[in-house]
Amino acid sequence: MCQLQKHKRINKKKKYHSQGCVKREAEKGTSGKKIPPSLLDMAKQNTDLKVQCFDKYSRNAVLGEVRVALRDLKASQSLVLCEELQKSTKDVVGEVLVSLKCLPISQRREVGLLKAKTAPPCSTANKNVHARIDVSCRRHKQKPQKSRPRAHAPLIVFNETFLFHMPEPSAWDCTVLVSTCEADSDPRHLIGQATLGNTRASDAADHWHLMRKSVQQPVAKRHPLLI
């Protein structure tokens, strides 16, 4: 059992802290959008409390989480939760349309970032969004590439391609990570991530196999953005 309160526990080597945010339930899950509590839609919101362990190198490791529906809490009283930590899960916050193309002669792979669907920004201020493409082959990371900034909207059109050198046969053991972030925020605010590769889930692996069969032809597929 772990008691979660709004406090920090610190020892000499490691630090632990709890982090919470409010998430609105969508028809098929949670949207992951951080929003202020509202009495009108209180019944459709959950609070997500995460316990993380971090060190001086800023490597955060999530130990577990507790999710509680706000409709089950009495906001007029001081609240203390005593719940068992559950394995942390990721929420679908949107989707991204990505194309992959195999160029065997030049030993390159083309990653095309076409469109992304996300939740609208929390504030009314104009904010820009950029995407970052990370490619790793057999634990060897290549230099990441970034897209040009785009206005944060429910539908973001990128239409950009990125080339990565992937020699045979290590090219088939690669992982592509697509991250969407707010470009003007400090620290960087991550909107969502999508992972593609031969060793990932079935949908991501199917996309990778289709790229192998369609030599020099781009293959586009939608992937969920998770956070």
Side-chain angles (χ1 to χ4, degrees):
M1 303 289 287
C2 178
Q3 182 172 338
L4 294 180
Q5 291 179 312
K6 194 174 182 180
H7 71 284
K8 297 182 179 180
R9 182 180 64 179
I10 303 176
N11 59 19
K12 294 182 179 180
K13 295 183 178 180
K14 295 183 178 180
K15 300 179 181 179
Y16 302 87
H17 71 90
S18 60
Q19 181 181 13
C21 66
V22 178
K23 297 182 178 181
R24 186 194 308 271
E25 290 185 354
E27 293 181 359
K28 296 183 180 180
T30 56
S31 65
K33 174 187 173 186
K34 293 184 179 181
I35 54 176
S38 172
L39 294 178
L40 296 178
D41 56 356
M42 183 74 72
K44 298 182 180 180
Q45 295 179 8
N46 292 334
T47 180
D48 185 10
L49 304 175
K50 293 182 183 292
V51 177
Q52 294 179 316
C53 172
F54 63 96
D55 54 24
K56 63 181 180 180
Y57 301 105
S58 299
R59 295 176 297 193
N60 296 350
V62 179
L63 302 180
E65 69 176 9
V66 174
R67 296 193 179 194
V68 182
L70 292 184
R71 60 176 176 267
D72 298 333
L73 302 179
K74 296 181 179 180
S76 59
Q77 301 177 2
S78 177
L79 302 176
V80 176
L81 298 178
C82 187
E83 302 284 347
E84 291 186 1
L85 286 177
Q86 305 295 328
K87 183 178 179 180
S88 181
T89 58
K90 293 186 176 182
D91 297 316
V92 178
V93 294
E95 65 178 15
V96 60
L97 180 61
V98 180
S99 69
L100 298 175
K101 182 164 68 173
C102 173
L103 302 172
I105 297 178
S106 60
Q107 293 188 340
R108 294 175 182 271
R109 300 297 179 271
E110 181 186 277
V111 180
L113 182 61
L114 306 180
K115 300 178 182 180
K117 288 183 178 181
T118 65
C122 300
S123 63
T124 57
N126 294 330
K127 293 187 177 181
N128 292 327
V129 174
H130 74 265
R132 169 173 165 156
I133 312 296
D134 293 88
V135 174
S136 59
C137 299
R138 295 183 176 179
R139 298 182 180 180
H140 175 71
K141 293 184 178 180
Q142 299 194 27
K143 184 179 179 179
Q145 300 186 39
K146 291 184 179 181
S147 71
R148 295 188 297 272
R150 297 289 193 276
H152 193 176
L155 177 61
I156 306 171
V157 179
F158 291 98
N159 284 339
E160 295 187 48
T161 57
F162 309 88
L163 289 175
F164 293 91
H165 179 65
M166 298 184 186
E168 304 289 348
S170 61
W172 308 124
D173 295 331
C174 291
T175 300
V176 178
L177 178 65
V178 181
S179 306
T180 57
C181 311
E182 287 187 358
D184 305 326
S185 61
D186 188 24
R188 184 185 65 178
H189 174 59
L190 178 66
I191 298 176
Q193 291 181 321
T195 307
L196 298 76
N198 191 32
T199 60
R200 309 308 299 177
S202 58
D203 291 341
D206 290 344
H207 194 183
W208 203 256
H209 295 324
L210 289 174
M211 178 194 66
R212 298 182 60 177
K213 296 178 181 179
S214 305
V215 178
Q216 296 184 349
Q217 295 294 328
V219 180
K221 194 176 180 65
R222 300 181 186 274
H223 297 274
L225 283 174
L226 306 176
I227 193 171

